[in-house]
Amino acid sequence: MATACIIVAAGIGVRMGSRLPKALMPVAGRPLVAWAIEAARASGVVDEFVIVAPRGRLRDIEAVVGADEHLTVVAGGETRAHSVAAGLEAISEEVEVVLVHDAARPLARPELFRAVYEALSPRVDGAIAAAPLADTLKRARPDRTIGETVDRQGLWLAQTPQCFHVAALRSAYERLDDDEISETTDCASIVERAGGTVVLVASSAANLKVTLPSDVALAEYLLVAAGA
């Protein structure tokens, strides 16, 4: 089965406060997006890549990822979900399985990509990396006082990579309207809303998402510690 990997790198990094799009920010000596591509490629399960770049910065992303007949760079949309849709449109016709990964997660290892890929079966529409919730969870009132403590049993933190049958993900997009799609924050949510089944693959909190400046230092420390 031909497999594509969509790397979502269209964020402009508002919360990061950087003049560069987040995917181009240097982390441990390399642009953030380069770590994601390297790990996915090393997994051995990806046949082609689609990198979804910020509008107006396609050439900058292309300069980082290099020329490759099995790699395409496309412009992203207004939301993450629309960026993934742009990536789906760009994959080859023969692709049956698609991995979706955030460029902002540089610590996902090749083994995690393989585990998510291998968890996808004919019985389910998708499989995603996720970490069991370990902290006590509070629901706040509007004034930030605690309204209740939420039972964390059975709660997981969704991560990427996420893997889907291409037909199932495309069908999910077609079944939802634009407002419903815009409200989602990951691909699994789109498939779930459309009635699909998604299985969880255990990951860890170390697969962090670089969102704030403080995350950069932590990611660099973990990458160096891992010998990357």
Side-chain angles (χ1 to χ4, degrees):
M1 279 190 304
T3 301
C5 182
I6 298 172
I7 304 290
V8 185
I12 58 175
V14 172
R15 285 175 289 181
M16 190 63 68
S18 172
R19 62 179 180 82
L20 289 172
K22 188 162 58 173
L24 294 172
M25 285 182 52
V27 176
R30 304 175 63 188
L32 195 59
V33 66
W35 292 106
I37 296 172
E38 180 182 83
R41 185 172 279 141
S43 71
V45 301
V46 178
D47 299 299
E48 66 178 64
F49 287 88
V50 176
I51 315 301
V52 186
R55 291 186 178 276
R57 304 301 292 258
L58 272 69
R59 290 187 178 180
D60 295 328
I61 294 290
E62 289 170 349
V64 167
V65 301
D68 187 331
E69 62 178 326
H70 301 297
L71 188 152
T72 304
V73 180
V74 300
E78 293 182 5
T79 67
R80 183 187 187 281
H82 290 106
S83 291
V84 173
L88 275 174
E89 291 180 6
I91 63 178
S92 302
E93 292 184 2
E94 63 269 20
V95 169
E96 298 178 57
V97 173
V98 61
L99 285 152
V100 181
H101 185 57
D102 293 325
R105 291 190 186 272
L107 287 144
R109 306 303 302 152
E111 295 79 14
L112 184 58
F113 281 87
R114 284 198 297 272
V116 171
Y117 172 83
E118 291 170 357
L120 186 68
S121 74
R123 298 185 301 103
V124 299
D125 299 294
I128 72 168
L133 186 65
D135 296 323
T136 300
L137 190 64
K138 305 290 186 181
R139 190 185 306 280
R141 299 187 182 96
D143 64 357
R144 292 195 181 180
T145 59
I146 295 172
E148 65 173 316
T149 299
V150 180
D151 184 2
R152 70 187 179 197
Q153 184 174 357
L155 295 181
W156 293 63
L157 300 171
Q159 302 177 346
T160 64
Q162 302 189 354
C163 189
F164 305 91
H165 298 291
V166 170
L169 186 55
R170 282 182 171 152
S171 175
Y173 267 95
E174 291 168 359
R175 293 177 64 180
L176 302 181
D177 62 35
D178 193 63
D179 287 340
E180 290 175 308
I181 290 171
S182 297
E183 291 170 359
T184 62
T185 54
D186 73 340
C187 296
S189 299
I190 295 173
V191 173
E192 293 164 47
R193 283 195 174 199
T197 302
V198 182
V199 66
L200 300 169
V201 177
S203 179
S204 75
N207 182 24
L208 65 86
K209 186 175 183 180
V210 175
T211 303
L212 301 173
S214 57
D215 298 329
V216 175
L218 179 56
E220 290 182 330
Y221 173 82
L222 293 172
L223 285 166
V224 172

